[in-house]
Amino acid sequence: HRAYVEAGCDIIQTNTFGANRFKLSEYGLGDRVEEINSRAVQVARIAAEGRALVALSVGPSGKLFKPLGEVEFDDLYEAFSAQCQAAEKAGADLISIETMTDIAELRVAVIAALSTTKLPVLAHLTFEPDGRTLMGTDPVTAVLMLEALGVTAVGANCSGGAAQILPIIEQMARNTNAYISVQPNAGLPILVGEETVFPETPEEMGRHALALREAGANIIGGCCGTTPA
């Protein structure tokens, strides 16, 4: 966290991407949602020293809606609410929902965050190479739905590198009055031996950041393979 603050980040994110009840239950920690999310916010706040905002990172539940899966609206609402409420109580400044592949699950997470806390919400989907999410949602449909819910910013994260995510951000920016948030990977991953490597350099990512800004992005960060550099 401190390394990102020193690098000049205005927002740092908690290490809570999988800290919802469903994910934590896989490790026997399903009853410690409040404790884990609260402590993660406290750690980030200590590191930020008032120089950066602290965003709660909220990732997917790993579950599918019935009939494809086993969960219903109320199950996800309860899980995301618990995570968000714990973070607000611990002093988080905003909520960043990330790497969602299903617009229906993202919708539940957004509703939970907005109805059980007073924090601003950034809502991100992740997109496949064909420009749609894994569940088939296009950027324009996504941005119109999310803006109607009342989020502060809409956008995309992960989704390959910045070059791949650029046209998605362009489409979103043309179709919303909300702020646009983007967190690309450091390029498309390649396998070097047994290690997954993200090939883009800080200089290349910097150039991409300027292009994303020109495309309409207001909040620019990084996802897989990105570093303080």
Side-chain angles (χ1 to χ4, degrees):
H1 286 323
R2 283 204 177 99
Y4 283 93
V5 175
E6 293 297 332
C9 288
D10 299 302
I11 302 170
I12 57 173
Q13 300 198 139
T14 57
N15 188 20
T16 53
F17 182 77
N20 60 70
R21 172 167 55 86
F22 295 105
K23 287 287 189 181
L24 290 177
S25 293
E26 297 174 14
Y27 306 95
L29 300 169
D31 60 343
R32 297 177 67 181
V33 171
E34 181 173 2
E35 176 191 352
I36 288 169
N37 283 277
S38 296
R39 187 63 183 136
V41 171
Q42 291 163 6
V43 166
R45 282 173 55 86
I46 290 167
E49 296 180 330
R51 294 187 289 162
L53 299 176
V54 171
L56 174 74
S57 174
V58 176
S61 66
K63 302 295 182 180
L64 294 173
F65 276 105
K66 291 181 178 179
L68 295 176
E70 57 192 50
V71 298
E72 297 181 350
F73 180 97
D74 288 350
D75 300 320
L76 291 177
Y77 179 87
E78 180 185 323
F80 289 127
S81 295
Q83 197 177 357
C84 294
Q85 287 175 298
E88 181 181 45
K89 186 177 179 181
D93 298 298
L94 65 155
I95 295 167
S96 179
I97 306 170
E98 307 177 307
T99 323
M100 289 286 185
T101 60
D102 183 356
I103 189 71
E105 182 176 16
L106 178 54
R107 177 176 173 271
V108 179
V110 167
I111 291 171
L114 291 176
S115 62
T116 63
T117 79
K118 296 180 180 179
L119 299 179
V121 174
L122 318 182
H124 306 88
L125 285 156
T126 186
F127 291 84
E128 298 297 304
D130 65 358
R132 292 176 175 266
T133 68
L134 188 63
M135 294 297 188
T137 304
D138 65 89
V140 176
T141 300
V143 79
L144 293 175
M145 183 182 295
L146 293 167
E147 183 180 18
L149 289 174
V151 298
T152 296
V154 299
N157 77 297
C158 210
S159 310
Q164 289 72 35
I165 215 170
L166 180 63
I168 292 165
I169 295 304
E170 289 174 336
Q171 289 182 62
M172 286 184 164
R174 286 197 300 266
N175 289 278
T176 184
N177 291 317
Y179 293 112
I180 300 290
S181 176
V182 59
Q183 299 175 146
N185 294 339
L188 293 169
I190 55 176
L191 198 60
V192 179
E194 297 183 357
E195 184 182 1
T196 300
V197 174
F198 291 86
E200 300 239 335
T201 66
E203 291 74 23
E204 289 170 322
M205 290 296 288
R207 289 194 291 273
H208 288 313
L210 295 177
L212 288 165
R213 184 183 67 180
E214 290 301 313
N218 308 102
I219 303 169
I220 301 173
C223 200
C224 305
T226 58
T227 67

